[in-house]
Amino acid sequence: MTSQVDQVDQSGQERGSADAKEVKRLDRVIIRFAGDSGDGMQLTGDRFTSETASFGNDLSTLPNFPAEIRAPAGTLPGVSSFQVHFADHDILTPGDAPNVLVAMNPAALKANIADVPRGAEIIVNTDEFGGRAMLKVGYDSNPLEDGSLEGYSVHQVPLTTLTVEALKGFELTRKEAGRSKNMFALGLLSWMYHRPTEGTEAFLRAKFAKRPEIAEANITAFRAGWNFGETTEDFAVSYEVAPATSAFPAGTYRNISGNLALSYGLIAAAQQSELPLYLGSYPITPASDILHELSRHKNFGIRTFQAEDEIAGIGAALGAAFGGALGVTTTSGPGVALKAETIGLAVSLELPLLIVDIQRGGPSTGLPTKTEQADLLQAMYGRNGEAPVPIVAPATPADCFTAALDAVRIALTYRTPVFLLSDGYLANGSEPWRVPEVSELPDLRVSFATGPNHTLEDGNEVFWPYKRDPETLARPWAIPGTPGLEHRIGGIEKQDGTGNISYSPSNHEFMVRTRQAKIDGIDVPLLEVDDPDADARTLVLGWGSTYGPITAAVRRIRRAGGTVAQAHLRNLNPFPANLGQVLAGYDRVVVPEMNLGQLASLLRARYLVDVESITQVTGLPFKAEQLANAIQDAERGPSDDH
């Protein structure tokens, strides 16, 4: 393998025989890496994605992995996959079906073959296709030999053997050397699609800085994979996908996941509000990455507290808000259930607090690593009493940054807890993100109470903790320890103005209606409708992470000659002021959701519109083609079926 490695310079670019093979130009490609959860498929996909982002393609990713830390090897439940869709133009989803499947074992092949269209390329690690491994997943015969893969372009590559051979100069056992087969596969795919390689080599050296021999072994395997593609006759063609120069406005870009974008949004919000950020959190999939990321940024005044449970986490965050900090708690659906009482307390105290819910499949523990949008009604109503809470939902991984800033704006301006509803698809998926200039960020600075704000009939000046801003209905934010601003807090109903405990029926009704009016009066943007010719009779309305699949489906319908309008909700409580007018302007309103119709139920109740639901609860996002067909079926309606 030494001579093959010598054909690659330190930048990873091939020498000598670069023009020996045919190069085809493509406008987009969908690749899925699949193997055991211990095969490093997420790392492989992440590195391919990072190099694709640095090359300038638009991209969208879909990691898909088991909930178990180490799922049973070689089994269907243990399969981990990573799909990346990259193109020379604007794209919105990870793609419906892979053009290339890399299957590291029989389980990976069987779990994913149904998604692979005829004519696609399949790269299989033949070293793993032994009798026992195939029987474990229900193969009675070898699919590489029995003709079941006819119609596909199958590349049988002994990935493990080639990797071990490439690393025979290292003092590694066969098992240790075999662990680098994912890097061999990454090198092969990097050659096939002309991906940059410098970043991956630098990443490996940094990742294994304390074990440089492991770093060099992985780099050697990576280069060997590249050279295998260059020299083997089985891969006669490589492919180029040009940068998506027209898809992006000018600026500095990076690849970013939803959880990382959300973390950066919280840091930016803390800086723009000039408040210390305090995160009280308990680890839970798929929200834990936010805790991990924020813990790295103490230099920005970020404090993170990993609590003993969900209740302690939100209690600490609310206490920090009482003390004048930007209080944040992160969780998923099961944690929201435990935090419900403290969210109600925050409603009563009228303090700013951000509750980040990275939704996942439920109920109960459900599907911890799979995506769903089924916490909307929980966020809207999941507390005792009348306890309204604003809800903000990002649309894409990169949009999580902006949504975090908007949620903090609402919390600080209106002195209220706010739900930020992301989900596993956004959290783990990634896309290019334009890094904003600081001058583009909103001013989130707040004014704390500094002295008396009310004059009694006898002329004495006092501080009333529930005396409200006439525009926002927000109460003053008083830092504990400020002389003259002593006031009572707690969950028992407060008297309007004074904040004293009150059991008065009329006062309670006034406070309940006032808290609701405060939420109803939050300033949110009007709903924008994409209806190019203003003649569509069907509106497709979505929220949260359905934005990409809906937009891709709408584009398909329009390319086929159909007319359909599209709108997407970021603010779910309160709704945009013009939502009722928009809904009334169309004959049909179709709402796709990854639940059983929660937004549709809210719209029917609020606006008396006969909304038509398209629902899915598979733990996976919608596919664009599937959604386009469902929208067209809804357009035709039952009267058109005959």
Side-chain angles (χ1 to χ4, degrees):
M1 293 300 296
T2 303
S3 62
Q4 291 182 350
V5 173
D6 288 345
Q7 292 177 18
V8 181
D9 66 18
Q10 290 299 312
S11 68
Q13 301 304 312
E14 66 266 55
R15 295 174 177 172
S17 58
D19 297 325
K21 295 190 176 184
E22 180 185 356
V23 177
K24 289 185 178 179
R25 293 188 178 272
L26 303 173
D27 62 348
R28 67 186 186 96
V29 174
I30 303 167
I31 299 174
R32 184 181 297 178
F33 299 92
D36 269 335
S37 57
D39 282 340
M41 294 297 93
Q42 302 305 315
L43 174 63
T44 304
D46 183 68
R47 289 314 314 160
F48 191 93
T49 299
S50 294
E51 297 298 352
T52 296
S54 69
F55 187 72
N57 296 119
D58 195 10
L59 62 89
S60 180
T61 67
L62 177 62
N64 190 5
F65 44 87
E68 291 80 10
I69 293 173
R70 183 66 177 94
T75 65
L76 293 175
V79 172
S80 173
S81 68
F82 189 106
Q83 183 163 303
V84 54
H85 181 192
F86 59 102
D88 64 2
H89 58 277
D90 173 36
I91 59 173
L92 298 152
T93 74
D96 288 358
N99 306 113
V100 181
L101 171 66
V102 180
M104 305 298 281
N105 61 15
L109 178 64
K110 187 160 190 176
N112 292 280
I113 190 64
D115 292 336
V116 183
R118 296 284 174 173
E121 293 191 82
I122 301 176
I123 301 172
V124 293
N125 178 16
T126 56
D127 289 323
E128 296 295 324
F129 278 74
R132 186 175 179 182
M134 289 186 293
L135 288 174
K136 188 181 290 188
V137 296
Y139 278 129
D140 296 325
S141 59
N142 191 333
L144 305 182
E145 301 172 353
D146 63 11
S148 60
L149 296 180
E150 288 184 5
Y152 301 98
S153 177
V154 180
H155 303 277
Q156 300 187 37
V157 182
L159 290 172
T160 306
T161 299
L162 291 171
T163 303
V164 171
E165 177 67 18
L167 301 184
K168 63 183 180 182
F170 293 83
E171 295 182 0
L172 299 172
T173 67
R174 178 179 175 85
K175 184 176 181 180
E176 289 172 335
R179 290 175 183 156
S180 295
K181 62 182 179 290
N182 63 325
M183 289 296 105
F184 188 101
L186 177 60
L188 173 57
L189 269 294
S190 297
W191 170 82
M192 282 181 67
Y193 293 96
H194 297 250
R195 299 297 90 186
T197 59
E198 307 96 310
T200 293
E201 295 193 10
F203 168 83
L204 290 170
R205 288 194 173 96
K207 180 177 177 65
F208 297 105
K210 295 182 179 179
R211 300 190 65 187
E213 71 283 0
I214 298 298
E216 291 308 313
N218 277 287
I219 290 170
T220 299
F222 175 66
R223 292 178 173 178
W226 177 289
N227 286 309
F228 177 78
E230 178 68 16
T231 57
T232 183
E233 295 181 1
D234 191 29
F235 293 89
V237 179
S238 64
Y239 305 92
E240 284 187 352
V241 181
T245 53
S246 61
F248 304 118
T252 301
Y253 286 80
R254 58 156 296 165
N255 183 49
I256 200 164
S257 69
N259 273 352
L260 185 57
L262 202 156
S263 300
Y264 288 173
L266 293 176
I267 295 170
Q271 294 295 298
Q272 292 301 103
S273 63
E274 298 180 354
L275 296 175
L277 187 150
Y278 183 95
L279 175 68
S281 182
Y282 180 76
I284 184 171
T285 302
S288 300
D289 289 342
I290 302 170
L291 170 62
H292 301 159
E293 183 61 34
L294 290 179
S295 68
R296 299 187 178 104
H297 297 284
K298 297 179 179 66
N299 56 311
F300 287 112
I302 309 298
R303 295 183 181 180
T304 55
F305 168 52
Q306 181 174 319
E308 65 269 29
D309 55 40
E310 296 281 5
I311 298 171
I314 190 173
L318 183 57
F322 176 61
L326 175 55
V328 181
T329 190
T330 52
T331 189
S332 191
V336 173
L338 294 167
K339 297 177 189 292
E341 184 178 5
T342 307
I343 297 171
L345 176 60
V347 171
S348 178
L349 297 182
E350 300 190 46
L351 286 171
L353 177 69
L354 187 59
I355 307 108
V356 178
D357 177 7
I358 312 297
Q359 301 166 95
R360 70 190 205 188
S364 187
T365 307
L367 304 174
T369 60
K370 310 302 180 183
T371 195
E372 208 162 88
Q373 288 182 296
D375 295 352
L376 176 56
L377 294 184
Q378 182 183 32
M380 186 75 78
Y381 298 123
R383 295 162 295 284
N384 64 294
E386 296 287 345
V389 175
I391 302 172
V392 178
T396 69
D399 187 45
C400 288
F401 177 87
T402 309
L405 285 165
D406 191 41
V408 170
R409 172 191 70 85
I410 292 172
L412 295 178
T413 303
Y414 296 90
R415 309 285 197 267
T416 178
V418 177
F419 265 104
L420 181 58
L421 286 186
S422 180
D423 61 43
Y425 172 39
L426 297 184
N428 296 315
S430 65
E431 66 177 351
W433 171 59
R434 187 182 70 83
V435 181
E437 300 292 336
V438 174
S439 60
E440 299 172 15
L441 302 179
D443 184 350
L444 300 177
R445 287 175 293 182
V446 298
S447 297
F448 293 106
T450 57
N453 61 357
H454 184 74
T455 303
L456 299 176
E457 292 181 0
D458 61 7
N460 286 330
E461 293 186 339
V462 296
F463 174 68
W464 273 15
Y466 282 84
K467 186 168 185 175
R468 302 178 183 279
D469 182 304
E471 292 187 7
T472 64
L473 298 182
R475 78 175 187 90
W477 196 359
I479 303 298
T482 305
L485 303 190
E486 297 85 357
H487 61 283
R488 186 189 304 271
I489 64 169
I492 298 179
E493 185 62 279
K494 305 296 185 294
Q495 184 182 52
D496 176 44
T498 68
N500 296 328
I501 290 176
S502 173
Y503 293 97
S504 164
S506 60
N507 178 79
H508 176 59
E509 175 146 352
F510 178 83
M511 293 295 281
V512 167
R513 293 187 181 279
T514 300
R515 287 190 289 260
Q516 183 65 58
K518 181 174 69 170
I519 304 307
D520 292 341
I522 290 173
D523 180 24
V524 302
L526 295 177
L527 182 65
E528 296 183 1
V529 180
D530 175 21
D531 189 355
D533 299 320
D535 61 352
R537 304 317 310 151
T538 297
L539 171 70
V540 184
L541 180 66
W543 70 277
S545 66
T546 56
Y547 173 79
I550 289 174
T551 306
V554 167
R555 287 181 179 178
R556 291 188 183 206
I557 293 170
R558 289 174 179 170
R559 284 197 298 267
T563 56
V564 63
Q566 178 190 358
H568 208 77
L569 289 167
R570 164 176 283 178
N571 298 98
L572 295 150
N573 193 29
F575 286 128
N578 66 331
L579 177 56
Q581 179 183 354
V582 168
L583 296 177
Y586 291 89
D587 295 339
R588 281 195 173 92
V589 178
V590 180
V591 178
E593 300 180 76
M594 291 189 294
N595 56 49
L596 296 184
Q598 296 188 14
L599 175 60
S601 296
L602 292 173
L603 296 176
R604 291 187 191 110
R606 180 74 60 86
Y607 300 104
L608 303 180
V609 173
D610 187 17
V611 172
E612 300 176 43
S613 284
I614 299 174
T615 61
Q616 173 177 294
V617 281
T618 62
L620 295 169
F622 283 106
K623 292 181 178 179
E625 182 178 5
Q626 159 207 3
L627 200 49
N629 292 336
I631 292 169
Q632 288 173 315
D633 288 344
E635 268 195 296
R636 286 190 288 268
S639 61
D640 297 335
D641 293 341
H642 53 79

